[in-house]
Amino acid sequence: MTAVAALALTGCAASPDTAATPSATAAAALECTDPGSTSDAVTVAGDAGVEPTVTFDTPLAAKATERTVVTEGSGDAVEEGDSVSISYAAYNATTGAKLSSAGYGEEAGLTVNVVNNQSVIPGILKGVACSNVGDRVAVVIPPADGFGDTGNTDLGVAATDQMLFVIDIKDKVPTRATGTDQEPQDGFPTVELADDGAPTVTVPQDDPPTDLAVEVLKKGDGATVADGGTVTVQYTGVIWGTGKVFDQSWGAGGPTSFSTSEVIPGFGQGLVGQTVGSQVVIVIPPAQGYGDTGNDQAGISGTDTLVFVVDILATA
């Protein structure tokens, strides 16, 4: 993944990280972002699927994020709770310098989960919300919806610099695993799925395994999750001893994205090597979960084994 994508995925989405807490309810509804004279002044040329040629006079200085539809797509409307794959070209709108681009041709781009408090900078989310699949949009982003008062020195974005993203809405990402059913393994929790794909997990009465254990319930044929790669998932986490759900994305804003290196060790290790479209069960002993201290906020003790049922929706 390119630098800007990796750095964009540093928001506050719920995920089983080292300080995980039970997921909060979904935030306030997203509002559509209007065009303005600043975003309208950006000239974008080129075919869909190919990195565009972008020209603009510097500096661009929008008072609030502005979004102009450059090319209208004919696909489905992007609704709150959807996940979409995008390609983009990003620029420092103050200096004119190109920052990065990704997602063109066969290259992985970025998966955006269209719900507030997700793990992209707010300006990208505002650019994607209220779009249609196939749209190309130009989004001018002031610091408040970008990297804030600190800017981003790695990218060359000062605290007062604005950014410009030209975004192609490529497709919707499924919100549940789509792989082929596999035979369940003995000794693992059983999983029943609701009509929308949300799992109910029943934990065995037996003692949990002492080592990390992974079961594939559905086998997808998509890209393989790399060590340190970014994944977009739906997940439910329960405690082995009680069967209590302590965290989940289902019903709490939909899919979420994070790096496999930014979550508790067993969760990341259980995902690496799996394929997009798969549903896996990951059983995590304390040493590869929250350790001896547990996680009081989530109701996890230092001796609790954790169980995650994870639908792998995308990776980059």
Side-chain angles (χ1 to χ4, degrees):
M1 175 173 282
T2 58
V4 71
L7 291 168
L9 288 168
T10 56
C12 51
S15 64
D17 59 25
T18 55
T21 57
S23 298
T25 54
L30 289 168
E31 297 181 357
C32 297
T33 301
D34 293 328
S37 58
T38 307
S39 60
D40 284 345
V42 177
T43 301
V44 182
D47 296 330
V50 178
E51 184 175 343
T53 300
V54 181
T55 55
F56 57 96
D57 293 331
T58 57
L60 297 180
K63 293 182 179 179
T65 297
E66 297 179 3
R67 167 186 170 274
T68 294
V69 178
V70 176
T71 304
E72 292 186 358
S74 58
D76 294 339
V78 176
E79 300 177 350
E80 190 160 8
D82 286 340
S83 290
V84 295
S85 60
I86 68 169
S87 52
Y88 64 86
Y91 299 84
N92 185 317
T94 302
T95 67
K98 182 179 176 180
L99 301 176
S100 187
S101 63
Y104 300 103
E106 298 300 318
E107 183 185 19
L110 191 64
T111 299
V112 176
N113 306 309
V114 188
V115 61
N116 269 320
N117 296 323
Q118 280 296 312
S119 52
V120 292
I121 59 174
I124 295 176
L125 187 59
K126 290 182 176 182
V128 172
C130 302
S131 296
N132 295 320
V133 173
D135 278 358
R136 172 171 281 178
V137 298
V139 190
V140 180
I141 304 172
D145 281 342
F147 294 111
D149 294 338
T150 60
N152 189 305
T153 55
D154 290 336
L155 290 177
V157 178
T160 56
D161 287 346
Q162 304 210 357
M163 291 186 291
L164 166 65
F165 276 75
V166 176
I167 298 171
D168 288 0
I169 314 298
K170 298 170 70 174
D171 204 355
K172 289 190 179 184
V173 175
T175 56
R176 61 185 294 181
T178 57
T180 303
D181 290 339
Q182 306 294 297
E183 189 70 25
Q185 298 179 32
D186 292 338
F188 276 83
T190 59
V191 179
E192 293 186 6
L193 302 180
D195 289 344
D196 65 354
T200 297
V201 184
T202 302
V203 179
Q205 296 298 313
D206 301 333
D207 290 337
T210 56
D211 296 322
L212 182 72
V214 181
E215 174 189 35
V216 179
L217 292 179
K218 296 179 182 292
K219 179 64 174 176
D221 59 2
T224 300
V225 178
D227 190 5
T230 298
V231 291
T232 298
V233 304
Q234 291 266 45
Y235 70 92
T236 292
V238 306
I239 298 171
W240 182 287
T242 64
K244 177 186 176 182
V245 175
F246 66 87
D247 194 14
Q248 61 182 339
S249 61
W250 297 95
T256 187
S257 299
F258 47 80
S259 168
T260 60
S261 62
E262 295 174 346
V263 293
I264 55 175
F267 195 96
Q269 292 170 30
L271 292 176
V272 171
Q274 304 296 336
T275 52
V276 170
S278 296
Q279 180 182 71
V280 297
V281 179
I282 308 174
V283 181
I284 305 174
Q288 290 170 285
Y290 294 103
D292 294 338
T293 58
N295 186 315
D296 288 340
Q297 268 190 299
I300 299 169
S301 76
T303 59
D304 281 334
T305 293
L306 309 180
V307 179
F308 283 96
V309 178
V310 189
D311 290 19
I312 304 171
L313 309 178
T315 191

